[in-house]
Amino acid sequence: MEIRWLQAFVAVAEELHFGRAAQRLQMAQSPLSQTVRKLEKDLEVTLFERNTRSVALTAGGHAFLPHAYHILESAETARQAVRASAGGVYGNIKIGFTGVLNHLSLPPLTRALRQRYPDVELTLVGRIMTRDAVAQLESGALDLAFVGLPVQSSAVATRLIRREPFGVVLPVDHPLADREEVELRELADEGFVTTPLSAGSSLQEVAMRACVDAGFRPRVVQEITDPYMILLLVSSGVGIALMTSGIAPIAPPGTVFVPLAGEPVYMLHGLGWSAKRVSPALKAALEVAEEILPTPIET
């Protein structure tokens, strides 16, 4: 059994498509298929069900996948240890983020990491809501992720990096658009644009809880996963949206951000990682993050 056989197997298992897996590995499809067959012959087990339309893991393939991950991870750990002994920091860090909500945090962190640790490869995975981020941190699919706090997982360590008050994003021609601040209960009859409930967004959970505390349940007129698309739908007059103050500078034309009056409702932005999987590269990234994205002092 060779490492490249396992790499081929994992690529096909994740893509469930030999063509895409071949592109990902930068090789032709025929040699990839031959490599997978060599692994199957070595294991004496069929790993994939193949036909002209689809590729699926067999029961044996599902059973073998976590072991393949473990072997590849061990090989990478060994490689990093050897390199680290020479005084450098090497490795790969997969970072999950939501999108526009992280525009104040993700760029400075990745910029600093690339400048200080050029041999650490960063893989950025977008549109990852908090619930999925936690699951992927637990499984090892992600090393680091931007999450909403608190998270309900004893396996995931977190640190607060930003505290942002909520406001409302309105179309510029909305009757409340010229106000300096808006009471949340004034929005009770409005139509809201939100992420789907099933998306596992901390932003949505905090916003919906605040509405209930203000005495009403929001009337949702449109659901969409991408937070920036929510802003664009507001600019189109589809509805309004509760967002945090960090998006105010990048709100699209046709919208206005108005702070909420009264006791602030905060979104707590954090970084999450698995305390059981802290590689030298991740340890270095966490140290940089503490400098670039310090925990805010509560006032």
Side-chain angles (χ1 to χ4, degrees), residues 282-299:
L282 179 57
K283 182 176 183 293
L286 292 173
E287 290 173 354
V288 171
E290 285 197 36
E291 176 187 340
I292 302 299
L293 305 170
T295 299
I297 299 173
E298 190 168 0
T299 57

Side-chain angles (χ1 to χ4, degrees), residues 209-265:
R209 191 182 311 121
C211 291
V212 172
D213 291 343
F216 70 97
R217 290 190 174 276
R219 179 172 58 88
V220 177
V221 294
Q222 181 70 52
E223 293 182 336
I224 191 164
T225 302
D226 187 336
Y228 196 73
M229 285 303 301
I230 290 177
L231 301 178
L232 292 178
L233 290 177
V234 173
S235 72
S236 301
V238 173
I240 68 171
L242 292 177
M243 287 283 180
T244 56
S245 59
I247 66 91
I250 60 170
T255 65
V256 60
F257 179 88
V258 181
L260 295 179
E263 188 70 23
V265 176

Side-chain angles (χ1 to χ4, degrees), residues 141-260:
L142 288 175
D143 300 298
L144 189 65
F146 290 88
V147 296
L149 300 179
V151 301
Q152 305 302 317
S153 174
S154 59
V156 175
T158 62
R159 182 174 65 81
L160 177 67
I161 60 171
R162 192 174 185 86
R163 185 184 291 108
E164 289 185 355
F166 270 85
V168 58
V169 182
L170 303 167
V172 290
D173 58 354
H174 192 280
L176 300 175
D178 59 352
R179 296 267 294 274
E180 291 188 3
E181 56 183 20
V182 173
E183 294 279 353
L184 187 53
R185 63 174 177 267
E186 294 181 80
L187 308 174
D189 296 327
E190 300 286 343
F192 285 75
V193 184
T194 73
T195 57
L197 182 62
S198 60
S201 165
S202 288
L203 178 85
Q204 186 211 39
E205 291 175 1
V206 175
M208 296 301 102
R209 191 182 311 121
C211 291
V212 172
D213 291 343
F216 70 97
R217 290 190 174 276
R219 179 172 58 88
V220 177
V221 294
Q222 181 70 52
E223 293 182 336
I224 191 164
T225 302
D226 187 336
Y228 196 73
M229 285 303 301
I230 290 177
L231 301 178
L232 292 178
L233 290 177
V234 173
S235 72
S236 301
V238 173
I240 68 171
L242 292 177
M243 287 283 180
T244 56
S245 59
I247 66 91
I250 60 170
T255 65
V256 60
F257 179 88
V258 181
L260 295 179

